[in-house]
Amino acid sequence: MAAPHAEFDAAVEPWRRELVGYCYRLLGAWDDAEDAVQETYVRAWRYWDTFEHRSSVRTWLHRIATRVAFTAMEGRQRRALPSGLGNSDGFLPWSAWVQPYADDRDDLRLALVAGLQTLTPSQRAVLVLRDVFAFPAPEVAELLDVSIGAVKSTLQRARARLAREAPRPDDVVEPQDPIARRQLDAYVKAFETADVGLLTAVLRADASLELLPGRRWFDGVAQCVPVLTDAVGAPGDWRMEPVVANGQPAARVWLHGEPMGLAVLDSRADGIASITVFGEPGLVGRFAQPLVE
């Protein structure tokens, strides 16, 4: 007899947010993560009667989610940001890009999520399970059907590669920090008032600009400023609302009154290190929760 929905829901629902975050880190896309978690819960319900609690519900769900995510990765190219693909003209479909995620956790920063996509699927899973969710090595080994030694060696390789691909800066400021708020305010006012000088004043000399879904990106303030100057247009063309994305200050954006997408800032103590603009109108609705004061 099937287990009552109330019993099942009480056991599995507390882990939904963690599972979505887990699958997002593995797959690099919010949509894919939610689809993977939905499939995880379908499978969990199907086998709930035979789940004998030899492991915790949390471990069991992550085991299912890992299998679902690994299947989703088969035959797909890794998601990336333009800076990870090389500078060239043209556009790629949204399935090629890392998607932003509405969460305030610092370990979800865009550069880190993009860096995770350069790892093998098993390296991603081991690193996230051990370093983000603090699963003990024996549980990870059981979850992935590998030896404890394999978990330890895979983790070592994953950490080393991620440190090369997405080194973690020590001068990052949180979205709620006054420094980050001033930088985001300068970004918003620069576009809403067509005064690009407000923005260039808070850009670092090595700031970069990535404009998705195009493949071109701009490295250094000398390259970024002409692009930003062309973009600001006339006062009133743009409207922006502060939000948080991937633990970073961000703004959902309207152009001429129509949804345009999302801009995400990499805020550092000495200025904005990068701006990533996702030109996808649907993101305006998905990031509807304003930045909390």
Side-chain angles (χ1 to χ4, degrees), residues 63 66-67 138-148 150-151:
R63 181 185 181 92
T66 302
R67 291 177 175 176
E139 283 192 43
V140 176
E142 179 185 355
L143 193 153
L144 297 177
D145 292 322
V146 298
S147 68
I148 296 175
V151 169

Side-chain angles (χ1 to χ4, degrees), residues 47 176 180 220 286:
Y47 295 108
Q176 303 294 351
R286 297 202 76 178

